[in-house]
Amino acid sequence: MAIASSHEEDFESCESVVLGWRDGSISDGSTTIEAQQSSLQNLLFFLHVPRSGGRSFFHCFLRHLFRNLECPCSYGENLPFDPSESKCRVFVAHRGYDLTSKLPMDKTSVLTVLRHPVARVLSSYEKAVEWGARFLAHAHSASAAQITEKFRREWRDMTVLDAWPWNYLLPWTIEDLFARRNARGNERVMEEIKNPYDIEEIVMPLHAFINDPLAHELIHNGATFQVAGLTNNSCLKDSHAVRRCVQKHPSLGRYVLDVAKERLEKMFHIALTEKHKESARMFAEAVGAQAISELQALASQPKAAANNGAVDQSRFLIVRSMLV
């Protein structure tokens, strides 16, 4: 009885924590970005959900539309630019909605790309294995880590190991790959491979990957937690307590879903991986008239036109081609 009572008390305490967060998230300024606005705001925050095709959406479309207007990328808690002074127009980050707390809410629009969760989990496994296997070119995992660190120091650049959630998933996958290689020794796997997702001698099987606590932590409901601003690298102080409670009592996840839905409803645009081209066309239709108007106004200024003519023409063509 004492155990049951203790469990009930913990559930009630956690429910209070999660409800308090939900009510505050839905009512505070962090959810008041007006998706219903007819025009794109000064800053577009592209909330990049991993393995959703966001890289293609950005490089093949957004990057052309906002050429030379990209904000520096962010992998940490702090923004790498001052949104009140910067003239950049599009900010891309493998981060959660919590980053909007650092952006000017009345001047920001939010865009994201969503994908079927099963396809996204499978893609996450494939990428973790693909990138992890590249490190097998080294003698052991310690040397692989040293090479990566050397690369960071020399190039002073971010790598996939710095981006969430790969900064957690890849080291784990790399260590597992080396452990399996060491266990094999010089033996080769000669049997015919019938199921590429279940080659235990070489790589962690898919079923082991998806059932691991780390995959549950970062991938299974990763998109929902990202949109809710509750990833494990959230910059909001109460996020970790909320995450702990939802992990202990999964039924409380419905409140996280409430917040995620609310925020999706307020986003300027939501693209779908399964409908990439259609999603890009819809975005172009939403911003096309505004973009063309801005470019025509800029072209009417002689100095600006002289300096930016080529860029303007490129942006004009990409918008016009999407609208045709």
Side-chain angles (χ1 to χ4, degrees):
M1 294 296 293
I3 295 177
S5 177
S6 176
H7 178 79
E8 291 174 1
E9 289 178 2
D10 183 70
F11 177 83
E12 291 176 358
S13 176
C14 272
E15 186 175 39
S16 177
V17 168
V18 177
L19 279 173
W21 165 81
R22 184 203 64 175
D23 295 342
S25 297
I26 289 178
S27 63
D28 67 15
S30 65
T31 57
T32 58
I33 296 178
E34 295 295 339
Q36 295 82 1
Q37 293 174 357
S38 59
S39 61
L40 188 67
Q41 299 304 296
N42 292 341
L43 178 65
L44 174 65
F45 171 36
F46 183 15
L47 194 161
H48 186 180
V49 175
R51 311 315 295 161
S52 65
R55 180 178 176 83
S56 298
F57 194 88
F58 174 70
H59 285 280
C60 298
F61 176 50
L62 290 181
R63 199 168 203 176
H64 294 281
L65 182 60
F66 295 95
R67 186 169 299 187
N68 295 335
L69 296 173
E70 303 167 36
C71 302
C73 293
S74 170
Y75 291 103
E77 290 188 7
N78 298 321
L79 291 179
F81 64 97
D82 184 348
S84 65
E85 297 181 2
S86 178
K87 294 183 180 180
C88 59
R89 294 289 303 274
V90 58
F91 172 46
V92 184
H94 260 229
R95 293 291 304 279
Y97 197 94
D98 51 290
L99 263 188
T100 60
S101 64
K102 298 178 179 293
L103 301 173
M105 307 308 297
D106 59 335
K107 299 179 180 179
T108 301
S109 296
V110 182
L111 159 71
T112 195
V113 181
L114 299 180
R115 185 181 189 179
H116 192 289
V118 173
R120 190 174 53 77
V121 170
L122 181 60
S123 181
S124 297
Y125 170 75
E126 292 172 343
K127 175 165 182 173
V129 171
E130 176 194 351
W131 280 82
R134 299 181 184 188
F135 287 81
L136 290 175
H138 303 285
H140 48 78
S141 58
S143 64
Q146 291 168 3
I147 292 295
T148 302
E149 186 59 33
K150 183 173 182 288
F151 175 83
R152 285 171 174 157
R153 290 197 306 269
E154 290 180 354
W155 291 89
R156 297 180 181 179
D157 198 7
M158 296 293 183
T159 70
V160 68
L161 285 166
D162 297 299
W164 181 89
W166 310 114
N167 55 335
Y168 296 96
L169 289 174
L170 279 182
W172 169 54
T173 306
I174 291 168
E175 290 296 332
D176 180 81
L177 284 166
F178 274 100
R180 292 174 192 271
R181 187 175 75 174
N182 293 339
R184 292 196 308 273
N186 294 324
E187 296 182 11
R188 292 181 177 273
V189 180
M190 301 300 292
E191 297 179 6
E192 180 183 357
I193 297 175
K194 297 181 179 180
N195 182 359
Y197 296 105
D198 189 11
I199 317 174
E200 191 171 359
E201 298 86 349
I202 299 176
V203 63
M204 183 189 307
L206 175 62
H207 66 83
F209 178 87
I210 62 177
N211 287 320
D212 192 275
L214 190 63
H216 280 273
E217 168 82 5
L218 300 172
I219 301 175
H220 285 221
N221 292 306
T224 300
F225 277 82
Q226 206 174 342
V227 172
L230 288 177
T231 64
N232 62 335
N233 67 344
S234 173
C235 62
L236 301 179
K237 63 180 182 180
D238 57 349
S239 62
H240 301 294
V242 174
R243 284 176 59 84
R244 183 189 66 82
C245 283
V246 172
Q247 288 164 357
K248 289 183 65 177
H249 306 286
S251 63
L252 297 178
R254 64 183 184 276
Y255 300 128
V256 176
L257 187 60
D258 288 343
V259 174
K261 288 180 177 179
E262 173 80 9
R263 288 175 171 169
L264 286 174
E265 290 177 357
K266 292 180 179 295
M267 287 187 183
F268 182 80
H269 185 70
I270 302 169
L272 298 177
T273 307
E274 293 78 7
K275 297 184 177 181
H276 250 343
K277 185 174 182 179
E278 182 179 341
S279 296
R281 185 182 297 277
M282 290 177 64
F283 182 84
E285 290 174 351
V287 304
Q290 177 185 351
I292 292 174
S293 176
E294 290 179 359
L295 294 176
Q296 290 175 338
L298 186 60
S300 66
Q301 304 174 23
K303 291 184 179 180
N307 294 332
N308 301 295
V311 174
D312 292 344
Q313 182 68 9
S314 174
R315 291 177 64 200
F316 178 82
L317 290 175
I318 190 72
V319 173
R320 191 177 67 176
S321 66
M322 294 301 298
L323 292 176
V324 173

